[in-house]
Amino acid sequence: MSLLPELFDTHAHLHFPEYADDRAAVLARARAAGVRGMVTIGTDLATSHAAIGLAAEEPDVWASVGVHPHDAASADEALLAEIERLAHAPRVVAVGEIGLDFFRNLSPRDVQTDVFRRQLALAHRMARPVIIHCRDAHAETLAILAEGRVGEIGGVMHCFSGDVEGARRCLDLGLFISLAGPVTYKNARALPEVARFMPADRLVVETDCPFLPPEGYRGKRNEPAYLTVTAARVAALRGEPLDRLAAATSDNARTLFRLPQEDR
Ligand SMILES: [Zn+2]
Ligand SMILES: [Zn+2]
C-alpha cells in the first residue's frame, strides 16, 4: 500500500498547448503526488482529437470528447457527427464538456442550448456519462438535464459553483458533483458548505487545469499535482482524513467513468 493519498483528477486539459513544452514533467509530478488517474477533456473537435491522442499514450489518462458551450457556434451537423465518431475511440469515457455558459456568452444562448441538447442525445446513443459545464445558467442547465433524462446515463457537474440547494438538485438528477480550486479560495462563497453537505459517494475532485489553480498557486498555470491542495481542503472541511477522502473520491470517479475499481 502506498503512503500517498490516491487521487483521481476528473477534469484536466492536459492536451492543451500550455503543456506543450513540459507535459512529461507535469505527468511525472502528478504521479509523484499520488494522482492515479486523470481524464483529459475535449472542448471542440481539435481538442477532442488531441485528448484521444494523449490518452492513447498514457496508461493513467482517459479522454472525453465534446463541444464546450463557448464553441457551440462551430458545432454544425457534420462536426457533431465527427464527435460521435470520436466517442467510439478507445479510452473515451465520457461526452463533455458540454453545457451552458451564460456568463461569457461566447456563442449565442439559443445555439448553446441546441448543441447541449444534441450532445446529451449523443451521450444516450453512446451510453456514456456526461461532463457538464454550467456558468450563470443553473436553472436552464438543470431543466435540460432533467428533460434529457441524464440519470439514465449519469454524469458530473464539473467545477461546481452553486450552493447547497443547487447541489441537492444535481443529486436528485443522479449527478456527481466535482469540486475544483475555488473551494480553497478565501472567497469560496457557498462551496465550503457544499463540501460539508455532499454525501461521500457522490463527490469527486478536479483541477480543471491549466485553469483555476488552488490557493497558493493563483496566477500560475494549474496542473494535476496541485489536486492535493484541493483534496486536503475538502477533507479538512468535512473533518475527515485526507486518505479517506482521496480513496472515496477516486472510487467515485471510477464509478462515474465506469472504470475498474482499484484493489486496496
Ligand atoms: Zn468548464
Ligand atoms: Zn474544462
Side-chain angles (χ1 to χ4, degrees), residues 42-49 52 64-68 71 74-89 92 94-98 115 118-120 122-123 125-126 128:
T43 54
D44 61 12
L45 188 55
T47 57
S48 293
H49 267 291
I52 290 170
S64 81
V65 299
V67 181
H68 192 286
D71 298 289
S74 75
D76 58 14
E77 201 77 45
L79 189 143
L80 289 173
E82 184 62 10
I83 291 283
E84 182 153 3
R85 195 185 66 78
L86 289 182
H88 291 272
V92 172
V95 173
E97 58 187 292
I98 63 175
V115 170
R118 292 164 67 150
Q119 293 187 98
L120 258 182
L122 188 162
R125 290 195 293 278
M126 302 296 304
R128 288 283 199 291

Side-chain angles (χ1 to χ4, degrees), residues 11-13 16 41-43 68 97 131 133 158-159 206-212:
H11 194 111
H13 300 282
F16 273 20
I41 312 287
T43 54
H68 192 286
E97 58 187 292
I131 297 167
H133 172 105
H158 114 81
C159 193
E206 66 171 86
T207 57
D208 200 13
C209 67
F211 314 113
L212 294 175

Side-chain angles (χ1 to χ4, degrees), residues 112-182:
Q112 291 189 38
T113 302
D114 179 56
V115 170
F116 181 24
R117 285 205 173 97
R118 292 164 67 150
Q119 293 187 98
L120 258 182
L122 188 162
H124 271 280
R125 290 195 293 278
M126 302 296 304
R128 288 283 199 291
V130 284
I131 297 167
I132 308 296
H133 172 105
C134 168
R135 191 147 183 220
D136 285 5
H138 292 282
E140 295 86 345
T141 301
L142 291 171
I144 290 172
L145 289 170
E147 157 205 306
R149 304 184 324 278
V150 71
E152 293 173 14
I153 47 176
V156 58
M157 189 62 78
H158 114 81
C159 193
F160 183 78
S161 60
D163 58 10
V164 165
E165 189 44 41
R168 207 187 302 274
R169 295 183 61 190
C170 290
L171 294 175
D172 288 346
L173 287 174
L175 296 172
F176 287 82
I177 281 180
S178 183
L179 291 174

